[in-house]
Amino acid sequence: MNDVDDTLLAARAAGGDPEAFGALIDRHASMARRVAYTVLENQEDADDAAQEGFLSAWQAIGRYDAKRAFRPWLMQIVVNAARDLRRRRRVRTTEPLEFVAAASTHNPAREAGVLDLGDRLRAALATLPERQRLAVVLFDAEGYPQAEIATMLGIPEGTVKSDVFHGRRALRKVLESVKEEWDG
Amino acid sequence: MDDFLPSGSMPGEPLTPDPELGVALREALAMPHDGAFVTRLRALVRQRPERTWDEVLAGWFWQGVLAMSLVAMAAAAGSMVTGQPATLPLGEESLAVQLLDSDQPGSEVILNAMAGPR
């Protein structure tokens, strides 16, 4: 089903085809988990929220408007699920080690650097307000246009721009310092 | 301090993506075991009915409102064309009531014809 577009899969899913919705899960699971993690900053909670988001989308697939892109519709549901979960739970702040280990590459020397960068970026993200975190992750990491992020988060486009600008400034500092260490 | 930022992301300029930061963020936020997550979720979706009856009804809500509006508009238009109200005037009984009223002459014959031979 790789060559079938999201809207067509969503239409099949709306007709009651769980395999079509499964294909959508395949495509968007990684992104949904990253976005949920951005809100919750905890892997287990992020998985719960992403799962809840997908199941809510499955329940609501009949109301999906095919004139809109599927991906932002889904991510909006995931963001809402993550925010709901954060309100319901006291979010744990510890970082499971296996999470960090799984982001490794094959080169051990490089691996040390990657782990360091990942840790530092997540730490820098944690210092930002949630809306800034989401704006910069959705824009730079996930490639959403400014207007779609504004719709997803329910804020003006100018605010998205400002959030990306300020969030990026903090993260860029980390990136530049790690690059300097690698070069030195 | 803003000058060191790449991607021309000064406040007055259009927002452009920062691919280097994007890749680094995706790696930093990547979660393990995507496959297991997908398998578990697909199984849940297969178990769970796509929509419950109340969600199906909710899906027909706006169509229902539209249909009722059209019926009301058609009734109003009909009464304007014929000059008759869309409903029976007070005191006038419907044909069914008149037929069932045994005092009306000939009603028995019509009812028998409608019911057919027994």
Side-chain angles (χ1 to χ4, degrees):
Chain A
M1 285 203 207
N2 277 345
D3 50 347
V4 181
D5 83 352
D6 283 356
T7 309
L8 193 57
L9 284 172
R12 285 190 203 165
D17 179 358
E19 292 310 312
F21 194 77
L24 289 168
I25 293 173
D26 254 346
R27 283 183 189 182
H28 302 297
S30 304
M31 184 187 294
R33 295 172 87 204
R34 284 194 299 266
V35 169
Y37 182 87
T38 303
V39 175
L40 292 156
E41 300 175 279
N42 173 277
Q43 188 190 348
E44 275 179 41
D45 288 339
D47 269 356
D48 286 350
Q51 177 175 307
E52 205 170 306
F54 273 112
L55 291 176
S56 298
W58 172 232
Q59 296 287 315
I61 195 76
R63 294 197 290 276
Y64 162 64
D65 176 4
K67 290 194 285 290
R68 282 182 65 192
F70 177 78
R71 213 173 61 135
W73 179 78
L74 174 67
M75 280 313 129
Q76 189 166 12
I77 293 174
V78 170
V79 167
N80 289 341
R83 284 175 163 172
D84 282 350
L85 191 66
R86 194 195 49 204
R87 277 186 219 108
R88 291 201 305 268
R89 285 186 191 173
R90 180 183 293 274
V91 176
R92 294 175 291 279
T93 52
T94 52
E95 188 70 17
L97 284 175
E98 69 273 15
F99 167 73
V100 176
S104 63
T105 61
H106 297 298
N107 182 339
R110 177 82 181 162
E111 185 176 326
V114 168
L115 293 181
D116 193 41
L117 176 60
D119 279 341
R120 291 201 218 173
L121 276 177
R122 283 193 297 277
L125 269 174
T127 64
L128 302 176
E130 182 217 90
R131 206 184 63 199
Q132 269 182 30
R133 288 202 302 271
L134 273 171
V136 75
V137 166
L138 289 170
F139 188 77
D140 281 328
E142 310 300 350
Y144 284 95
Q146 198 176 331
E148 280 186 5
I149 297 171
T151 306
M152 263 189 264
L153 303 184
I155 54 177
E157 282 188 47
T159 309
V160 173
K161 186 177 176 181
S162 160
D163 282 347
V164 170
F165 177 78
H166 291 293
R168 193 185 267 176
R169 182 162 55 184
L171 299 174
R172 258 283 155 194
K173 276 181 191 166
V174 172
L175 196 57
E176 296 301 325
S177 72
V178 171
K179 274 166 70 180
E180 275 172 24
E181 284 174 25
W182 286 351
D183 293 342
Chain B
M1 274 303 284
D2 292 335
D3 293 341
F4 75 92
L5 288 169
S7 316
S9 51
M10 294 295 285
E13 296 175 3
L15 200 55
T16 53
D18 182 339
E20 188 183 27
L21 181 61
V23 169
L25 277 174
R26 271 200 304 278
E27 280 184 15
L29 296 173
M31 306 229 294
H33 317 306
D34 259 347
F37 177 82
V38 167
T39 305
R40 187 176 69 243
L41 192 49
R42 288 186 79 148
L44 281 172
V45 164
R46 271 185 230 108
Q47 286 166 14
R48 202 158 162 162
E50 63 274 17
R51 287 200 284 171
T52 54
W53 67 268
D54 53 325
E55 286 162 340
V56 172
L57 284 181
W60 283 97
F61 176 75
W62 290 112
Q63 287 92 327
V65 169
L66 181 66
M68 288 297 288
S69 307
L70 288 174
V71 166
M73 282 166 58
S79 69
M80 282 170 65
V81 168
T82 59
Q84 297 286 326
T87 52
L88 287 171
L90 284 175
E92 189 175 320
E93 289 175 325
S94 71
L95 181 62
V97 172
Q98 288 177 35
L99 282 173
L100 289 170
D101 184 354
S102 56
D103 292 341
Q104 294 287 331
S107 61
E108 203 176 305
V109 176
I110 296 172
L111 282 172
N112 281 337
M114 288 168 71
R118 299 202 179 176

